Every structure is written in structure tokens, then in C-alpha cells.
Amino acid sequence: MFITAPGLVQHLHPTQVAPPQTHWPAITLALERPWYLLVHEVACNGRKLSQTSLVAWDTTLLDLLARIPVADLSGIARLGRRREAGPSWALEWIGALWAPAPGESPALGPLLLQLGTDPQLRNIDLLPVGEAAGRRLLYEAVRARPAGPGSADHPARRPPT
């Protein structure tokens, strides 16, 4: 279930929406920027459960990473807009995330990433970024991520521990 905020109304067909409705059965990915899936453990009634959050902004992802203990992170994936034929969004698991070094250009953006096992460091537009001292590692995957969400080894499908 998704809860809207004032000014962030989803565009659904009128037959699917009751006039005072604030909870929606689906979400529309309308932004041109990448979105992120953040998979992490939460405590509920004395048990640890896996939770997946859809995050629209890089700065929001950074805020969540600052609040969630590293040991509770299961995985982070990037949902990027595709321009070619077929599905319009592609999901790629992130191998590692860094904050840029204090002296680096603000044009790099708020975070740098490595996708899967690709050793190249990239900005959020997936442009290659060179080496720089002083970067802070924010997240590193424990192991290589599976090819897609249908995999039994996918973090959202692993049984709780």
C-alpha cells in the first residue's frame, strides 16, 4: 500500500479512485531519475522480517542509510529508466555505494555506486568516475546479487533468519 502526500497525487483512471482516497493499490514511476529498492531487516513482534522500500530520491536513500544499521541491510537495487524497446525500467543490484570526497565537485551528485560485479565506479547517471581520496563507503553488498527478482536467492525472497 502506498500513502500519498498533498501535491503527490497518483494519476489513476477515475474508475479506480474514490474521491477521498489516500491509499493506492499501485504506484506510478513517473520520475525520469533512477529509483532505488532498499531491502532491510526490521523487528516486528520479536522477529526479524525483511522489508523492501521504494525510494525516489538519492538524498532520501542517504537519509535511510544513515538510520538503518549496516548489519540490517540486505541489498540495494537501482531502477533506471530505459529508452529502448521493451520494459521501460531496468533493475540492477548495487555492489557498493560511496559518498563523494569532501573536495569533489558537487556535480558528481550525493552518491557514487558500483553495479553488481562491475568494478567501475559511476555517478547516478552511470557515467564513469575516476579515483579520489577521502570517499566514504556507505554500503557494500555481502556477495554478488542474483540476476533478478525471480531468483530464490534474491534478498526479498530469502527466508527470515
Side-chain angles (χ1 to χ4, degrees):
M1 180 182 314
F2 298 94
I3 301 171
T4 64
L8 299 176
V9 176
Q10 298 294 320
H11 300 284
L12 296 176
H13 191 274
T15 60
Q16 296 176 309
V17 182
Q21 187 171 348
T22 60
H23 296 73
W24 306 96
I27 190 166
T28 302
L29 298 178
L31 292 176
E32 291 296 318
R33 305 297 305 155
W35 288 62
Y36 302 93
L37 285 180
L38 177 62
V39 183
H40 60 99
E41 303 293 318
V42 295
C44 180
N45 296 326
R47 290 184 19 191
K48 283 213 166 197
L49 302 173
S50 180
Q51 177 171 299
T52 303
S53 300
L54 181 61
V55 182
W57 302 105
D58 308 324
T59 53
T60 304
L61 179 61
L62 291 173
D63 289 344
L64 289 170
L65 289 174
R67 294 181 187 149
I68 298 171
V70 174
D72 289 346
L73 293 174
S74 300
I76 303 173
R78 180 184 186 276
L79 281 155
R81 195 75 144 147
R82 292 176 35 157
R83 302 288 176 230
E84 57 270 1
S88 60
W89 292 87
L91 179 95
E92 295 179 87
W93 288 101
I94 294 175
L97 280 174
W98 285 268
E104 286 189 275
S105 168
L108 281 179
L111 57 89
L112 304 171
L113 53 93
Q114 280 182 315
L115 294 173
T117 58
D118 179 8
Q120 178 63 59
L121 190 60
R122 300 179 183 279
N123 66 12
I124 58 167
D125 295 322
L126 300 183
L127 298 173
V129 176
E131 295 291 323
R135 290 181 177 151
R136 185 169 44 96
L137 183 65
L138 303 171
Y139 164 79
E140 188 170 28
V142 176
R143 57 192 169 87
R145 292 289 167 213
S151 168
D153 196 324
H154 188 275
R157 296 179 54 104
R158 269 189 259 141
T161 54

